[in-house]
Amino acid sequence: MNEEPFLLNVPVRNLSRIWRYSSLPLHEPENVAEHNFWVAWNAMQIGHWLESEDDKIMGEESILQLDWKIIYELAIVHDFAECFTGDMIRPVKYSSPEFREAYRKLEDQAVAELLPQLPEPVRKATFRSLSAQETFNTLEVRIVKFADLLSVWNKLDEEANIPNVQAQRQQCAFINNYAQTWTTDPDLGALALEIFRGWI
C-alpha cells in the first residue's frame, strides 16, 4: 500500500507553526493547531450542555440526538485551509461581503490542494466536514461555529487578565461585532447570554 496510513508528512503539520491573532501583541501566542483543540473542547462542552438542558426540560421525552462524529470532525478540520493560507484576522476576513467571498474561494482552492494528500478515509471525512460548515442549517455546525467564536473570546479574556490592554480593548469590539449575533440563536442563545453576562 503506497498511501501513508497516518498524517505524518502532509501540510496539516504546518498548523502548529501558524500563529493566530497577528494584529494583537500577545503574552502567550497561540497556533492554529492549539486553537483547533480548544474549538473541539468548547464544542464538547456546548453539546453536553445542550443535552443536559434538553433532559431537564423534556425528561424521558428528550429527543435531542447530536451527531458527535460531525461535531468532532468539523472542530478538528474547520481551519485546515490555513495550512496554505495562514490565519487571516477576523476583522479583515469579514470586512466586506466581496472580500469574504474572494477569501472563501482561496480557502476552497487550498482545501482542493490539501485533500489529495490525505489518506482516503480521512480525505472523505475532511471533505464531508468542510462541506457541512458552508451552511448554518444544522445544530452540529452551529455548535462548532459558536465553539470557534468562544475560542477567540477565551483567548482575549486570558490575555486581558494578564493584563494585556490591547486585548481588553478588543473585547468590546468582539462583543459588539460577533457575540451579540449569537444571543438570538434558537438553541444557543441562552448559553450565549450566560457566557457573555455582564458584557451584553
Side-chain angles (χ1 to χ4, degrees):
M1 179 161 134
N2 294 328
E3 266 187 338
E4 290 188 54
F6 301 106
L7 305 181
L8 300 177
N9 299 305
V10 294
V12 174
R13 294 281 300 165
N14 291 338
L15 295 177
S16 63
R17 293 180 282 275
I18 296 171
W19 300 104
R20 291 174 52 80
Y21 313 107
S22 57
S23 66
L24 181 67
L26 298 176
H27 290 280
E28 296 288 341
E30 180 180 275
N31 63 50
V32 178
E34 290 174 297
H35 165 71
N36 285 353
F37 168 80
W38 291 118
V39 172
W41 172 251
N42 289 340
M44 184 175 78
Q45 292 184 87
I46 293 165
H48 286 299
W49 180 85
L50 287 172
E51 288 180 337
S52 68
E53 289 299 297
D54 192 58
D55 287 344
K56 285 180 199 172
I57 296 168
M58 303 298 293
E60 292 183 2
E61 304 300 315
S62 176
I63 58 171
L64 181 64
Q65 293 186 336
L66 295 173
D67 186 338
W68 284 99
K69 183 175 180 181
I70 193 68
I71 288 172
Y72 288 130
E73 285 179 354
L74 180 54
I76 292 297
V77 306
H78 77 282
D79 279 339
F80 263 23
E82 292 183 12
C83 64
F84 289 106
T85 67
D87 180 52
M88 175 69 70
I89 60 173
R90 189 175 283 262
V92 174
K93 194 173 186 178
Y94 294 95
S95 58
S96 73
E98 295 79 14
F99 186 85
R100 179 67 192 115
E101 178 60 20
Y103 192 75
R104 188 192 63 76
K105 289 179 181 177
L106 180 62
E107 289 178 315
D108 288 347
Q109 181 181 343
V111 169
E113 290 182 30
L114 170 66
L115 286 175
Q117 300 181 53
L118 304 181
E120 180 61 27
V122 178
R123 186 183 315 151
K124 290 178 181 176
T126 302
F127 179 78
R128 179 179 64 243
S129 298
L130 292 174
S131 298
Q133 79 172 347
E134 294 302 315
T135 175
F136 272 76
N137 288 346
T138 69
L139 178 54
E140 288 80 5
V141 169
R142 292 195 336 271
I143 286 171
V144 175
K145 297 275 189 184
F146 188 51
D148 190 11
L149 185 88
L150 285 183
S151 177
V152 176
W153 175 253
N154 294 149
K155 185 58 183 169
L156 282 177
D157 195 51
E158 177 184 274
E159 286 285 322
N161 287 317
I162 284 176
N164 179 331
V165 175
Q166 291 198 42
Q168 291 169 345
R169 292 182 185 135
Q170 287 287 328
Q171 285 180 300
C172 291
F174 177 90
I175 294 294
N176 293 332
N177 295 329
Y178 308 113
Q180 289 271 13
T181 61
W182 284 95
T183 60
T184 57
D185 184 278
D187 302 294
L188 299 166
L191 181 58
L193 286 168
E194 177 65 24
I195 290 171
F196 300 117
R197 190 192 320 170
W199 290 89
I200 293 179

